[in-house]
Amino acid sequence: MTEPVAEAAVGDVLAALADPTRRRIVGALGNAGGATATTLAGSLPVSRQAVVKHLQVLEGAGLVEGVRRGREVRYEVRPDPLDVAARWLVGLSAAWDRSLSALKREAEDP
C-alpha cells in the first residue's frame, strides 16, 4: 500500500500539472535549465503576474524551486516529485493490466 504522504504528494503534482500553462512552464524550465518569471512570460500567452501565480502552484507541489539572485528569482525544475508521480502511474497501469488480464482469462475460460 502506498504511504498517505506519497499519495498526497502525487495528488499535488497531478493537480499542478493539470493546467496546460503549468505544463508548458515546467517544459520550458527543463529545456532552459532555469529561468525567471519575466523570461517565461516572454514565451507564453499570459502576463508575468499570471506566470508568477503558476510558479507558486508548481513550487507548492515541489515541482520547481525559486532561488533569489539579487532582485530576480530564478526558477528551476525539481525532478523528484515527477519521479514519484511517474512511479505511481506505472504502478497504477500495472494493476489495471493485471485486472484486465484476469478478466480476459475469466471471459475466455469455458
Side-chain angles (χ1 to χ4, degrees), residues 44-93:
L44 295 169
V46 295
S47 68
R48 182 190 174 286
Q49 291 79 9
V51 169
V52 169
K53 288 182 180 184
H54 285 298
L55 286 165
Q56 289 171 343
V57 172
L58 292 168
E59 197 166 21
L63 292 167
V64 300
E65 181 177 24
V67 177
R68 182 167 291 282
R69 292 191 179 130
R71 292 179 50 193
E72 291 186 327
V73 178
R74 184 172 176 82
Y75 293 88
E76 296 180 0
V77 174
R78 295 184 57 217
D80 292 341
L82 284 172
D83 292 341
V84 170
R87 283 193 305 272
W88 181 83
L89 288 168
V90 166
L92 182 64
S93 175

Side-chain angles (χ1 to χ4, degrees), residues 86-110:
R87 283 193 305 272
W88 181 83
L89 288 168
V90 166
L92 182 64
S93 175
W96 272 102
D97 287 345
R98 287 189 302 273
S99 295
L100 291 173
S101 292
L103 181 62
K104 180 181 178 192
R105 282 191 305 276
E106 286 291 322
E108 291 176 346
D109 283 346

